[in-house]
Amino acid sequence: MPILFSFLFLSSAFSTPLDFQTLVLSPLPKPHTLSWTQQDSESLTLPDPSQTPTTTLSVQLHHRDSLSSLDSTPDTLFTRRLQRDAARAKTLTDAVELAVKPNVSRARGKGGFSSSVTSGLAQGSGEYFTRIGIGTPPKYSYMVLDTGSDVVWIQCSPCKKCYTQSDPVFDPKKSTTFTGVTCGSPLCRRLDSPGCNNRQMCLYQVSYGDGSFTFGEFSTETLTFRRIRVKNIALGCGHDNEGLFVGAAGLLGLGRGKLSFPNQAGRRFGNKFSYCLVDRSASSKPSSVVFGESAVSRTAVFTPLLTNPKLDTFYYLGLTGMSVGGVRVKGITESLFKLDSTGNGGVIIDSGTSVTRLTRPAYVALRDAFRAGAADLKRAADFSLFDTCFDLSGKTVVKVPTVVMHFAGANVALPASNYLIPVDSKGSFCFAFAGTMSGLSIIGNIQQQGFRVVYDLAGSRIGFAPRGCD
């Protein structure tokens, strides 16, 4: 997107000239037709984790709207996305509340064991998926990738109850590498609330904020990414999976917890991964996720990872402030985003949340600063969770104030398309931030578009590389 900078003096609101950039207006995107590369039947095996990692895993990502009905209109798809997003944000904040308040009642799991509400596919809200081979020989299926979840799981036959998925349900009896986990094994004890059947085999359950859940045997299996096999990954083999999980076969948890895929396989790819999420209107370039040394972009700016002492799943960052038009917003201070010793507050980055949520005082200050800087644009009615919208019908380009997110050690300047987005087919565009009454702020995937977001777990840092999808 061409970016132009100009300056404008607004004496009524600002004492210094503002920085502007040009937004080229694009309509709501239509879902793209899926086009997966035919997988090579020959597989490679990753080296032993005790050896120096030399292999890079790289797979394409697609937005979940690609699995939606092709007769859905762009307006309908976007409305559904915002509905999922609201449920997703609630699930994340509920997960924190459960972690910091042990006396909060927890959902009862199948077989009489309890399971905490875990962030993830609230109302199917995992927004990006890829195609992964499961078992030996590999059976390829769509898997949601989610940085807000830990447990890896798939639907398995025989099904007590399975939702409809796009590929045949995985049959563990047809895989030579499927192995059940016993109740007494250390792997079973890594589950938050493991169960046990009458054969002394480990059971798992993951519950989601909308009442959806997956339940079944805990096991180990081989996963294949294109031609590269990753052995002995602990995953749930779900025989009872209920909820709105779209057409994917399961979920690849990319969270920070001990059972996530990055944690399990980390030593095999140097404890590094990254993704780049393409604006869904830019169909020429696919989104991607990369594991290994190649995941770290040389152009990335880094900010330290913070740790919540009460919850290990989420990736916390230190947000210190924000700028609009090149001017620091006075009402946004580092204290508004502080993660305290009890596990409350803080800022997480999440691939499954679309719209960035800021704690209410910070959002109001940001919104008011943007409204003042965009005073020349014609206002439109509020739309869903957005309270700052503009009627840009009949225009092809507009100038908007720049927006920069200031993290500890890293300034991330957002492209205009990452914060002023189309919401209907009538030319309405809205400021793509929202406020939350929760103390938890969430950096969503709309703001991450076009950046290669680097999760350097070995270095305990998160990086942002602009134009990282090139």
Side-chain angles (χ1 to χ4, degrees):
M1 171 179 296
I3 303 294
L4 303 175
F5 292 90
S6 62
F7 299 89
L8 181 68
F9 184 79
L10 295 177
S11 58
S12 61
F14 298 96
S15 58
T16 58
L18 293 187
D19 294 345
F20 278 69
Q21 60 181 327
T22 295
L23 170 65
V24 178
L25 303 181
S26 300
L28 281 173
K30 297 179 180 179
H32 301 140
T33 302
L34 291 177
S35 57
W36 295 98
T37 303
Q38 182 64 37
Q39 304 293 335
D40 193 325
S41 60
E42 178 186 0
S43 294
L44 304 176
T45 302
L46 275 179
D48 185 90
S50 64
Q51 301 174 358
T52 301
T54 58
T55 303
T56 294
L57 303 181
S58 177
V59 291
Q60 290 187 6
L61 301 180
H62 289 259
H63 193 269
R64 58 160 285 147
D65 285 350
S66 300
L67 280 179
S68 301
S69 173
L70 292 179
D71 59 3
S72 296
T73 66
D75 295 57
T76 300
L77 289 174
F78 186 73
T79 299
R80 291 175 185 167
R81 184 182 186 186
L82 293 182
Q83 291 171 345
R84 295 192 306 268
D85 206 49
R88 170 76 173 200
K90 182 179 185 303
T91 303
L92 298 180
T93 55
D94 285 351
V96 174
E97 183 180 2
L98 282 168
V100 302
K101 298 179 180 178
N103 59 331
V104 175
S105 62
R106 295 173 181 253
R108 296 301 299 175
K110 293 283 184 176
F113 66 96
S114 65
S115 174
S116 60
V117 175
T118 307
S119 60
L121 288 174
Q123 294 191 0
S125 70
E127 292 293 290
Y128 289 88
F129 64 91
T130 190
R131 199 159 175 79
I132 297 174
I134 305 161
T136 306
K139 302 296 183 183
Y140 284 88
S141 295
Y142 298 126
M143 297 279 284
V144 171
L145 277 73
D146 184 10
T147 56
S149 290
D150 291 328
V151 177
V152 181
W153 62 267
I154 55 170
Q155 292 202 112
C156 284
S157 64
C159 286
K160 177 180 179 182
K161 186 170 185 180
C162 286
Y163 59 86
T164 301
Q165 64 179 60
S166 301
D167 297 286
V169 174
F170 177 71
D171 186 351
K173 294 181 180 178
K174 295 181 179 179
S175 171
T176 61
T177 48
F178 182 88
T179 305
V181 173
T182 61
C183 294
S185 72
L187 198 55
C188 186
R189 290 195 292 270
R190 291 171 77 178
L191 288 165
D192 288 338
S193 302
C196 195
N197 65 16
N198 55 13
R199 296 182 290 109
Q200 294 301 300
M201 301 304 290
C202 186
L203 301 176
Y204 82 99
Q205 170 165 315
V206 179
S207 301
Y208 300 96
D210 66 334
S212 302
F213 62 84
T214 173
F215 167 77
E217 306 167 63
F218 205 48
S219 59
T220 61
E221 186 54 286
T222 295
L223 302 183
T224 302
F225 297 76
R226 292 182 175 170
R227 297 173 57 239
I228 298 175
R229 293 187 297 164
V230 186
K231 294 183 175 181
N232 299 317
I233 295 299
L235 82 165
C237 186
H239 299 290
D240 188 352
N241 317 285
E242 301 180 28
L244 302 176
F245 296 120
V246 203
L251 181 144
L252 188 75
L254 298 181
R256 205 175 174 185
K258 52 187 175 292
L259 285 173
S260 72
F261 180 77
N263 206 313
Q264 290 192 61
R267 292 176 63 190
R268 290 174 248 191
F269 53 79
N271 291 290
K272 299 176 178 69
F273 74 94
S274 67
Y275 56 70
C276 194
L277 308 177
V278 175
D279 181 341
R280 289 181 298 130
S281 63
S283 59
S284 59
K285 298 177 182 177
S287 299
S288 64
V289 61
V290 178
F291 297 87
E293 294 297 331
S294 299
V296 181
S297 171
R298 295 180 180 178
T299 63
V301 292
F302 287 92
T303 184
L305 264 174
L306 305 180
T307 299
N308 186 335
K310 302 292 186 180
L311 185 64
D312 61 3
T313 298
F314 301 149
Y315 296 96
Y316 281 84
L317 309 176
L319 184 62
T320 61
M322 298 190 69
S323 293
V324 172
V327 179
R328 283 267 190 162
V329 180
K330 292 182 179 180
I332 301 181
T333 61
E334 186 174 359
S335 61
L336 292 176
F337 307 112
K338 183 177 176 57
L339 173 63
D340 65 29
S341 59
T342 66
N344 283 303
V347 179
I348 65 172
I349 184 168
D350 180 47
S351 65
T353 302
S354 291
V355 179
T356 289
R357 265 84 170 173
L358 300 176
T359 189
R360 185 70 184 173
Y363 169 70
V364 170
L366 176 68
R367 176 200 66 191
D368 291 350
F370 187 81
R371 284 179 177 177
D376 288 345
L377 299 180
K378 181 181 178 181
R379 289 290 297 275
D382 296 354
F383 186 94
S384 184
L385 77 168
F386 301 126
D387 63 4
T388 301
C389 299
F390 303 91
D391 179 2
L392 304 182
S393 57
K395 299 180 181 294
T396 56
V397 296
V398 294
K399 291 185 187 296
V400 294
T402 58
V403 174
V404 178
M405 307 184 77
H406 300 288
F407 297 96
N411 297 324
V412 179
L414 300 179
S417 58
N418 286 29
Y419 55 87
L420 196 59
I421 64 170
V423 297
D424 60 25
S425 299
K426 303 175 183 177
S428 299
F429 282 69
C430 294
F431 189 53
F433 288 84
T436 174
M437 299 307 294
S438 165
L440 180 70
S441 296
I442 306 169
I443 307 300
N445 59 49
I446 291 175
Q447 282 65 41
Q448 299 173 51
Q449 283 178 172
F451 290 91
R452 180 153 294 279
V453 183
V454 181
Y455 293 73
D456 180 2
L457 307 184
S460 191
R461 59 183 188 165
I462 294 286
F464 298 89
R467 297 177 296 280
C469 300
D470 295 339

